[in-house]
Amino acid sequence: MLSYLLYSPFECLGDLSVYDVWEWCIQASCMDIAPKIFYIVLYNLLFQFISASFSHTVFHLCSIGSGFVVMRLAITHTNIMHLLAFLAIGYVFMYCANLFHLKRRIKTEYMVVLVCILYLLLCEFVYPNQEDWIQSRGVFMIAVMKIISLCFNVQNGHHLPSIYAYAGYVLCPANVLFGPWVSFTEYNLQTNRNRKNFTWVLRTVYVLFLSFTFLSISNCLSIIVIPRLIDNKWISAYRRAFSFRCSHYFVSFLSEVTMLCAGYGDETGQYVVTRPFDIEFPTSLVNVVVSWNIPMHKFLKKYVYLEILKFGYFKAILGTYLISSLLHGFNFEIAAVLLTIGAYSYVQFRLQEKLARTFNACLRVRTCKACTHKYKRSNLIIKIIHFIFALITIFDLIFLGVLMDSVGYANSPSIYEKWQELDFLSHWVMLGLYIITFL
Amino acid sequence: MKITVVTVVVLLMGCISLEYVDTRSKGRGKGSMWWGIAKAGEPNNLSPLSPGVLYMDSSVHGTLRKKQRRLARENPGVLVAVAKGANQAIHECQYQFRNRRWNCSTRNFLRGKNLFGKIVDRGCRETAFIYAITSAAVTHAVARACSEGAIETCNCDYSHHKSRPRVSGNSAVAGVRDWEWGGCSDNIRFGFKFSREFVDTGERNRNLREKMNLHNNEAGRMHVQSQMRQECKCHGMSGSCTVKTCWMRLPPFRVIGDNLKDRFDGASRVMVSNVGNAHSNNAHNNKYNKSNNINSNSIHNRREGKGRKQKYGFQLKPYNPEHKAPGSKDLVYYEPSPGFCDRNPKLGIQGTHGRQCNDTSIGVDGCDLLCCGRGYRTQVVDVVERCNCTFHWCCEVKCDVCRTKKTVHTCL
C-alpha cells in the first residue's frame, strides 16, 4: 500500500508519483544547493571557533577571510571585485564625511546615504551586465545598510572603526550573502557570546531543516496541479505569491543558520529573521512588513523612520517606504510593491484607527498593549472584524507576491499586465476602504 | 551451353527475387523484432536485482539481434528497462489510439512475428508512430532506470558538481553561470545514446524505409530529450538572485505520447531524395552528435565518428514540394495508410468489428465513423466495479463494490 502511494502517478501531481516529485524536484533542488550551504556553514563555524580564541584584530581578519571565501561560493568574481571596490570607496567617503563633520560641526551622514543610494540606482539602471547585478543586488543592499548604520553611529559619538573592523563588519561571513543586517555593536558582540550547548545545535539543525523545507515548497509547488474544481486565476496567483514568500523564508532561515553558526544569537539561542506564521496569517499589512525581515525593520525604524518622524507621521511612513525601495535599487517591481504596501497600510491604519475610536473597540493595527477600550480583543465581533481584515491582507499579499515572483527574470510580464490579469481588484478594495474612512 | 545460360539466368533471377523478398519481409521487421521483449515475460518477474536472468531467457534472446545482445550484456540491468519501455510504448500507443479505427492492437502477436502485426510492413503513419513511440519509450525508461541506479554502467553521481568551474570566468557573457545540467544530467544523455545504439541497430540508411525508421526513431528520442528540461529559481534578499537552484523536470510519458500523437496527425509524407546523403545538417544534427566524446558514460561503441554522422545526417524530401521539409521532431511516412475498417489478414488488420463506440460523439470514436457505417448493436450490461474508495491513514484504500447498468454500443 505504501509503495502504491509512493510510486503510482497522481493526477494532482501532474501524473507524477510522490517518489518522482521527491527525486526530480525536492531532492534535485536540495542537492543542487547543499554543497554550497555545507561550505557556507563550515566556514562560519570555523570563523566562530578560530576568532573566539584570539584578539580583536584577528577576529576582524578572520571575518574578512571567511567572508571572502563565502562570497566566492555564491557570487561571481566580477561581483566580488565590484563589491570590494565599492567598500573601499565607501570607507574613504565615510572617512571624509567624518572629518568634515568634526571640523565644521555639521551633519554629513545624509550625504553618505545619498551617495550609497545613488550608486545603487546607477547600478540598477546603467550597469552593463544586468544578470550580474541581479545576482549581487542583495549583497550590495546589505553592505549599504551596514555602511549607513555605521555612519549614523559614528556621527552620534562613536569612533570611526579601523579599516579592519570596517571590512570585517561588512564582509562578515554570517550575513554577507543573505543578510540579515546587523549593527556594528552586534557584530562585535560575537567575541563574548554565550556558551554553546545542545540547544544551540538543535536550533541550528531545526532552522536548517526549515530552510530546506521552504526551498522545496518554493521550487516544487508549481508541480502540483490545482484541481479543476477550484482552479482559477486567484488560486494560481496565490500559489505564485506563496512560492515567492517561501523563497524568502528559505533565504531568511538560511541567514539565521549562518548567524547561529557564526556564534550570533540572542539569549535564547535564536536569531529570528522572519516569522512565516505572522505573514501567512496576518492581522494587518503593517504586521507583515514587520515580520518580513525583522532586522531590516529594525534598521529602517532606527535610521530612517525615527530620523524623519519630525516631519510628520504620514511623511515618515511614506519616506520609510521610499528609502526602503531605494535601498532595493528602485527596481520597478519592488518599488511598486513597497509603495503599494505603504499606501495600503496607511489606509488600513486610518480605517482601523477610526473604527477603534468610533466604536471604542480594540481595532487598531498593532495590538494595543494596555487596552482601555470598551470592547476587548476577546469580543466575538471584534474577532470577526479582525478576521475580515486578515482576509483582506491575505488578498493584498496575492497582488504583491505576484509582482515579486519574477523579479530578475527577463521577459516577465509588466506590473500593469500582471495586475490587469487580476482586474486591479485589490486596488478597488483599498479605494473602497479609503472612502469609508471619510464617512 | 544453353542449359548453363538458362540456369545462370534462373539462379540470378532467383537471387534477385530472394533478395527482393528479403527486403520486403525481413527487412521491415529487422530493427523492430526487439519489441517482442515486451511480451517476453511478466514485468513482475523481471526483478531488477538479478539483471542477468532476463538476458538468459531464451525467448528474449530470440528477439534480439547480435548487437543488441552485446549491449544488454555490457550494460547489465538495461534489458529490464528496455522491456519496461516497450510495455510502456504499447500501453501509450493503445491509449492514444483507443478511439481510432486502428487501435494499436498487439492481439495477434505470435513469437517470431512482429509485435504490432504486419502493419509495420507498410511505411504508413501508423508505422511511423510505432517506431517513434517505442524509441521514445526506451530512451525514457533507460534514462529513468539510470537515475534509479538500476543500470550499473551509468550512475548518477553528484561529484562532477564540484569539479566543474562554477563561474565562467572571462567568457563573452561574463558572470552567466556555466550551469550544466544539475543532478543526474547524464542520464538522459545515456538514454538517448543507448536508444540510438539499441533501437537503430537494424536500420542502416540504405533505402527510404530505413531512412523513415531512423528519422522516426530519432524524432521519438528528440521528444523525450526536449521535454526533459531543467528549471531554475532564484533566491536571495528581496528578489535578488544570490543563489540559483535548479532541478529537473521529468515529463510523464503521457506528455510525450500526447506530443507524438500531435505529430502523428501532422505527419509529413516524404519521397526518395537524390541529395539524400549530402550532410544537409538540418534535421538530425542535434547536439548529441557533437557531444559524443564529452560524455563519460559512453556506451561501448565501435563505430563512432564519420559513419555515425552519415547515418543520421540525411534530409528527407517532402512528397509535396510545396510543403516544408520534415523537422527533427516530425514523423514521416511514405505510403498512405490502408483502410482499417475491415479485417485484412494480409496486413494483419483486425477491423473494427466488435469494437465499442460512443453513440453521442461525432468524432472518430463515434459509432458512425468507427463502425465505418456498418451500424452498431446496443446492449445494456451489468458492470461491477470498485467505487466510493476512501483512504485510511496509513496506508489503506477501502472501496465498495458497485453494480451499475451501462449501455454499451459495439460495431457490427
Side-chain angles (χ1 to χ4, degrees):
Chain A
M1 196 60 228
L2 192 66
S3 69
Y4 167 79
L5 278 177
L6 275 178
Y7 295 110
S8 61
F10 289 104
E11 205 179 326
C12 65
L13 294 176
D15 279 331
L16 292 173
S17 67
V18 175
Y19 184 76
D20 285 336
V21 173
W22 160 254
E23 184 188 358
W24 294 95
C25 190
I26 298 177
Q27 200 191 6
S29 48
C30 287
M31 286 310 284
D32 186 29
I33 203 165
K36 276 181 192 169
I37 292 180
F38 173 76
Y39 281 106
I40 293 175
V41 164
L42 189 74
Y43 290 132
N44 274 301
L45 286 174
L46 277 176
F47 164 65
Q48 183 197 159
F49 291 122
I50 294 175
S51 60
S53 44
F54 290 102
S55 70
H56 253 263
T57 323
V58 180
F59 165 68
H60 296 313
L61 286 177
C62 270
S63 175
I64 297 169
S66 41
F68 191 75
V69 180
V70 163
M71 277 201 296
R72 282 292 306 269
L73 284 172
I75 63 177
T76 64
H77 208 72
T78 343
N79 282 333
I80 296 178
M81 287 301 146
H82 184 196
L83 181 72
L84 291 182
F86 173 73
L87 293 184
I89 297 168
Y91 189 74
V92 172
F93 208 87
M94 207 164 70
Y95 187 82
C96 295
N98 194 42
L99 218 62
F100 206 63
H101 168 68
L102 291 177
K103 271 189 182 162
R104 301 279 169 88
R105 293 274 138 215
I106 49 166
K107 287 206 159 210
T108 47
E109 67 256 39
Y110 299 113
M111 285 303 295
V112 179
V113 177
L114 197 70
V115 168
C116 285
I117 281 174
L118 270 180
Y119 190 78
L120 289 181
L121 283 182
L122 218 62
C123 284
E124 182 74 29
F125 292 108
V126 295
Y127 195 72
N129 189 339
Q130 274 302 305
E131 203 162 332
D132 251 10
W133 173 243
I134 286 166
Q135 189 189 53
S136 57
R137 184 173 59 208
V139 180
F140 269 83
M141 207 173 93
I142 293 292
V144 163
M145 280 160 69
K146 285 177 181 170
I147 293 175
I148 290 175
S149 67
L150 205 56
C151 252
F152 274 90
N153 281 351
V154 166
Q155 309 216 345
N156 285 332
H158 296 259
H159 294 290
L160 187 73
S162 70
I163 183 107
Y164 299 117
Y166 167 77
Y169 170 47
V170 185
L171 294 178
C172 178
N175 43 42
V176 68
L177 279 184
F178 303 106
W181 168 83
V182 291
S183 66
F184 188 64
T185 12
E186 220 174 334
Y187 160 72
N188 276 316
L189 270 180
Q190 194 252 14
T191 37
N192 44 2
R193 95 222 78 87
N194 43 12
R195 68 283 132 213
K196 297 287 153 275
N197 51 18
F198 186 64
T199 25
W200 171 75
V201 177
L202 213 64
R203 173 75 192 172
T204 312
V205 172
Y206 171 67
V207 177
L208 193 63
F209 170 75
L210 275 185
S211 94
F212 272 115
T213 309
F214 281 120
L215 171 73
S216 310
I217 296 175
S218 172
N219 282 355
C220 305
L221 197 68
S222 61
I223 286 179
I224 292 171
V225 176
I226 303 166
R228 194 163 301 163
L229 196 67
I230 55 163
D231 188 14
N232 58 35
K233 58 187 178 187
W234 300 104
I235 299 283
S236 62
Y238 181 81
R239 174 165 74 176
R240 270 184 289 158
F242 182 63
S243 168
F244 168 73
R245 292 199 295 271
C246 284
S247 165
H248 169 74
Y249 303 148
F250 157 67
V251 170
S252 300
F253 281 115
L254 191 59
S255 67
E256 181 173 348
V257 170
T258 57
M259 285 299 277
L260 290 177
C261 286
Y264 296 98
D266 57 11
E267 305 78 44
T268 53
Q270 301 183 1
Y271 197 97
V272 182
V273 179
T274 188
R275 288 197 213 101
F277 199 78
D278 288 357
I279 300 171
E280 292 310 317
F281 307 102
T283 43
S284 69
L285 266 178
V286 176
N287 289 338
V288 172
V289 173
V290 173
S291 310
W292 184 255
N293 191 331
I294 294 160
M296 180 147 183
H297 168 73
K298 275 186 205 156
F299 169 85
L300 287 171
K301 189 173 180 182
K302 189 173 173 191
Y303 297 105
V304 184
Y305 179 73
L306 291 179
E307 287 288 326
I308 45 179
L309 193 58
K310 50 186 174 248
F311 299 112
Y313 180 74
F314 180 69
K315 280 177 191 155
I317 288 217
L318 201 72
T320 309
Y321 283 106
L322 193 70
I323 295 284
S324 173
S325 47
L326 284 171
L327 278 176
H328 287 86
F330 214 80
N331 173 286
F332 285 129
E333 273 103 352
I334 299 174
V337 165
L338 286 171
L339 294 178
T340 317
I341 292 180
Y344 282 8
S345 41
Y346 177 73
V347 170
Q348 258 186 1
F349 175 81
R350 284 284 301 270
L351 180 66
Q352 287 183 245
E353 199 78 354
K354 191 184 166 109
L355 287 177
R357 237 180 300 118
T358 321
F359 299 107
N360 194 9
C362 264
L363 276 172
R364 300 173 77 169
V365 177
R366 306 296 300 264
T367 325
C368 27
K369 274 160 199 141
C371 192
T372 52
H373 294 117
K374 189 178 162 198
Y375 301 102
K376 304 270 185 280
R377 280 229 161 192
S378 49
N379 189 308
L380 184 68
I381 295 172
I382 303 297
K383 274 185 181 167
I384 289 172
I385 294 174
H386 273 291
F387 182 69
I388 292 169
F389 277 119
L391 285 184
I392 293 174
T393 311
I394 291 174
F395 179 70
D396 292 336
L397 283 180
I398 294 179
F399 274 77
L400 304 170
V402 160
L403 286 196
M404 294 298 287
D405 180 48
S406 58
V407 171
Y409 290 90
N411 61 45
S412 64
S414 71
I415 301 169
Y416 183 80
E417 281 167 346
K418 280 182 183 169
W419 274 344
Q420 194 183 34
E421 198 195 325
L422 299 175
D423 306 328
F424 295 101
L425 206 61
S426 152
H427 301 87
W428 290 114
V429 169
M430 274 301 151
L431 191 69
L433 290 184
Y434 192 55
I435 290 168
I436 291 175
T437 56
F438 289 110
L439 294 179
Chain B
M1 194 58 183
K2 209 178 175 183
I3 295 166
T4 35
V5 170
V6 170
T7 21
V8 166
V9 169
V10 167
L11 272 173
L12 269 174
M13 276 177 71
C15 285
I16 290 160
S17 62
L18 264 177
E19 211 179 316
Y20 180 66
V21 168
D22 199 48
T23 43
R24 271 301 290 186
S25 62
K26 211 178 148 205
R28 298 291 187 253
K30 225 163 55 170
S32 55
M33 288 313 291
W34 64 271
W35 293 341
I37 202 173
K39 302 273 178 183
E42 288 305 307
N44 296 346
N45 301 340
L46 312 176
S47 158
L49 293 171
S50 50
V53 175
L54 182 63
Y55 174 66
M56 301 303 279
D57 190 340
S58 60
S59 65
V60 173
H61 211 267
T63 62
L64 297 185
R65 294 167 63 85
K66 214 169 126 197
K67 187 181 174 190
Q68 289 171 333
R69 269 179 249 155
R70 181 172 59 78
L71 281 169
R73 206 168 45 236
E74 284 168 354
N75 301 289
V78 86
L79 222 44
V80 183
V82 172
K84 212 171 152 191
N87 274 307
Q88 206 174 11
I90 298 170
H91 183 254
E92 188 60 31
C93 180
Q94 287 174 351
Y95 171 82
Q96 293 293 342
F97 287 86
R98 66 198 180 283
N99 294 328
R100 313 263 311 204
R101 285 177 188 167
W102 178 72
N103 62 350
C104 206
S105 162
T106 55
R107 252 198 308 180
N108 51 352
F109 170 66
L110 298 163
R111 295 232 182 277
K113 292 272 180 340
N114 201 298
L115 179 67
F116 290 97
K118 287 178 195 151
I119 181 74
V120 292
D121 291 345
R122 304 266 301 224
C124 58
R125 280 167 191 262
E126 283 74 15
T127 315
F129 184 84
I130 292 174
Y131 273 85
I133 196 109
T134 45
S135 153
V138 167
T139 315
H140 193 264
V142 169
R144 259 208 91 130
C146 257
S147 69
E148 282 163 6
I151 301 170
E152 288 161 32
T153 43
C154 88
N155 54 349
C156 168
D157 72 318
Y158 293 95
S159 58
H160 68 274
H161 250 274
K162 280 170 254 163
S163 59
R164 199 159 276 164
R166 260 183 218 98
V167 175
S168 71
N170 34 16
S171 67
V173 270
V176 180
R177 292 306 186 78
D178 217 357
W179 224 102
E180 285 274 334
W181 287 78
C184 295
S185 59
D186 288 338
N187 301 337
I188 177 68
R189 215 172 275 181
F190 182 87
F192 197 100
K193 285 189 70 192
F194 181 85
S195 168
R196 264 192 173 175
E197 294 290 319
F198 189 91
V199 177
D200 293 0
T201 320
E203 326 289 347
R204 291 223 187 95
N205 193 3
R206 285 171 308 200
N207 51 26
L208 183 59
R209 178 54 204 264
E210 291 195 345
K211 280 196 174 96
M212 166 184 156
N213 292 350
L214 277 179
H215 183 102
N216 292 327
N217 283 345
E218 190 77 355
R221 285 188 286 267
M222 292 301 278
H223 275 273
V224 178
Q225 187 235 313
S226 66
Q227 279 292 318
M228 207 142 177
R229 60 182 187 270
Q230 190 192 14
E231 292 196 348
C232 292
K233 198 180 170 87
C234 281
H235 304 277
M237 281 279 291
S238 306
S240 65
C241 195
T242 315
V243 285
K244 207 178 204 178
T245 53
C246 298
W247 65 97
M248 272 234 279
R249 205 92 199 252
L250 172 77
F253 197 64
R254 176 58 33 86
V255 175
I256 294 158
D258 289 344
N259 291 352
L260 281 173
K261 177 70 190 324
D262 286 347
R263 300 285 172 159
F264 169 87
D265 293 328
S268 23
R269 187 166 177 184
V270 292
M271 55 189 266
V272 191
S273 125
N274 295 331
V275 285
N277 283 323
H279 290 284
S280 46
N281 43 12
N282 266 342
H284 293 272
N285 256 353
N286 63 68
K287 62 175 178 179
Y288 285 96
N289 270 329
K290 294 163 202 158
S291 65
N292 261 340
N293 10 359
I294 301 168
N295 191 2
S296 54
N297 291 334
S298 74
I299 312 157
H300 304 290
N301 184 16
R302 284 174 195 157
R303 276 172 295 134
E304 262 184 61
K306 212 183 161 195
R308 164 157 304 273
K309 221 164 195 177
Q310 259 166 6
K311 188 170 178 180
Y312 297 101
F314 58 84
Q315 176 67 55
L316 291 163
K317 213 173 145 193
Y319 185 75
N320 184 343
E322 283 169 24
H323 288 175
K324 244 177 31 186
S328 59
K329 281 176 163 184
D330 288 324
L331 300 188
V332 297
Y333 66 101
Y334 62 90
E335 272 180 298
S337 300
F340 293 105
C341 282
D342 296 310
R343 204 176 136 75
N344 183 348
K346 223 167 129 191
L347 286 172
I349 293 167
Q350 296 283 313
T352 59
H353 305 277
R355 290 271 304 277
Q356 282 191 13
C357 60
N358 181 355
D359 64 337
T360 50
S361 164
I362 52 161
V364 202
D365 61 328
C367 287
D368 283 344
L369 285 175
L370 193 68
C371 305
C372 307
R374 291 186 304 262
Y376 55 95
R377 187 186 324 134
T378 305
Q379 286 170 296
V380 178
V381 287
D382 269 337
V383 183
V384 181
E385 56 189 12
R386 275 145 62 95
C387 59
N388 302 332
C389 291
T390 46
F391 174 72
H392 294 272
W393 189 262
C394 179
C395 304
E396 215 181 347
V397 176
K398 277 184 182 161
C399 297
D400 294 339
V401 176
C402 296
R403 283 171 185 280
T404 42
K405 283 202 192 302
K406 252 188 187 164
T407 317
V408 173
H409 310 282
T410 41
C411 292
L412 286 172

